[in-house]
Amino acid sequence: MSQAKPPIPAAVEAFRRLHESGCFLLPNPWDRGTAIYLRHLGYPALATTSAGLAFSKGLPDSVTAIPLKTALDHAGEIVRATPLPVNADFQSGYSDDLEGLAGNVEACVRTGVAGLSIEDATGRPERPLYGSDVAVERVRAARTAIDTTGIPVVLTARCEAWLVGHPDAKKVVLERLVAFAEAGADCLYAPGAPDAKTIATIVDAVAPKPVNVVMAAPNPDLTVPILTDLGVRRISVGSALARAAWGGFTRAARGILETGTFDSLADAAPFAELNAIFGAEQK
């Protein structure tokens, strides 16, 4: 007698619906407070950021710097902070072998995330990307692991060719993203796409699967309306919000030390506003 499938969590259903049409913003908090604030602003979903987490722990952003337990605990913390769907930046799955990857993906699903991403970066300078066949098998293993749980979280497959400086990054990205889609990825992602034409090419190559684009800096040629018109389904900001916060912190801290005044605190978020938002969470 077959076992009944577990009910699909509301956040997973909501996240899958967001990927069906249109374009949505997927900002990246790095702790409970930033997650709560982003929900307060009205964002429909959230995504963790490996860099934001790493910097908050005094670590570099590397696939080998953050322990698996830390990543899982962090994903759970963001999930519990709000009822919004959460996508986990699960880096390369915290394992080189397929069995370990599958087990780690299942553990990530159990944190309550509505989606997770797997990238093809190895974290090793001598060979920064997994081989093409291996990278595809890793996506397939992640898909199988998710299916085993019975919870259809959104699987995003990432190609890091631009970020690692591959000499033929565009070719590698297009080949791998198409292969990742065929291997079971629900959403495709290649951080570092340089321009609108390239993004449009990626969207066309993997259609009808949705594409994520990360915006890590201002770019007047890539606004939300423009990316929407290009067919991009979701827009994240990666470490940018965390780095913006670090920018305010570092400028203020340096200003006090260098000027002997406290003028650099003028742009601090109002205490009363933050206290009211977080106080409301306790009621």
Side-chain angles (χ1 to χ4, degrees):
M1 190 172 178
S2 62
Q3 291 184 337
K5 290 184 178 181
I8 299 175
V12 175
E13 289 186 331
F15 202 43
R16 296 196 74 86
R17 283 196 300 272
L18 285 170
H19 287 78
E20 292 174 358
S21 63
C23 182
F24 69 98
L25 292 166
L26 185 68
N28 305 75
W30 60 95
D31 60 13
R32 176 178 169 80
T34 51
I36 290 170
Y37 192 81
L38 289 168
R39 183 203 177 198
H40 167 76
L41 290 178
Y43 285 98
L46 306 172
T48 68
T49 159
S50 62
L53 170 61
F55 298 158
S56 74
K57 302 291 185 183
L59 297 170
D61 182 29
S62 162
V63 298
T64 59
I66 298 173
L68 170 64
K69 184 178 185 304
T70 300
L72 292 173
D73 289 347
H74 178 65
E77 177 187 37
I78 301 301
V79 167
R80 292 188 298 273
T82 81
L84 295 179
V86 174
N87 187 83
D89 178 353
F90 208 50
Q91 297 196 290
S92 58
Y94 301 90
S95 178
D96 280 329
D97 66 87
L98 296 181
E99 184 178 354
L101 170 67
N104 294 344
V105 167
E106 289 185 39
C108 187
V109 173
R110 288 195 294 271
T111 68
V113 296
L116 62 92
S117 62
I118 294 291
E119 62 193 52
D120 59 359
T122 66
R124 294 187 288 273
E126 69 278 8
R127 191 176 186 185
L129 298 179
Y130 288 104
S132 296
D133 291 344
V134 173
V136 172
E137 284 303 310
R138 290 172 65 80
V139 172
R140 187 171 288 115
R143 175 79 273 158
T144 300
I146 290 171
D147 292 345
T148 297
T149 69
I151 302 173
V153 306
V154 175
L155 174 61
T156 298
R158 294 174 44 152
C159 178
E160 307 290 287
W162 273 302
L163 294 192
V164 304
H166 193 286
D168 200 2
K170 183 177 179 180
K171 179 175 182 292
V172 171
V173 163
L174 290 172
E175 289 177 351
R176 291 198 177 195
L177 292 190
V178 169
F180 291 166
E182 294 173 350
D186 298 303
C187 182
L188 291 310
Y189 179 19
D195 51 46
K197 183 178 179 181
T198 302
I199 292 169
T201 300
I202 292 172
V203 170
D204 290 342
V206 302
K209 295 280 181 84
V211 168
N212 182 97
V213 166
V214 62
M215 293 302 302
N219 186 336
D221 296 322
L222 294 175
T223 62
V224 172
I226 290 172
L227 290 168
T228 300
D229 288 344
L230 291 173
V232 171
R233 188 57 46 80
R234 75 185 202 197
I235 305 168
S236 58
V237 294
S239 66
L241 286 173
R243 289 185 293 105
W246 274 99
F249 169 79
T250 56
R251 285 190 295 273
R254 286 174 181 160
I256 294 169
L257 189 64
E258 293 170 0
T259 69
T261 72
F262 302 95
D263 295 348
S264 57
L265 301 180
D267 293 329
F271 176 91
E273 177 188 346
L274 296 178
N275 206 45
I277 291 170
F278 299 136
E281 291 294 313
Q282 303 299 310
K283 295 179 181 178

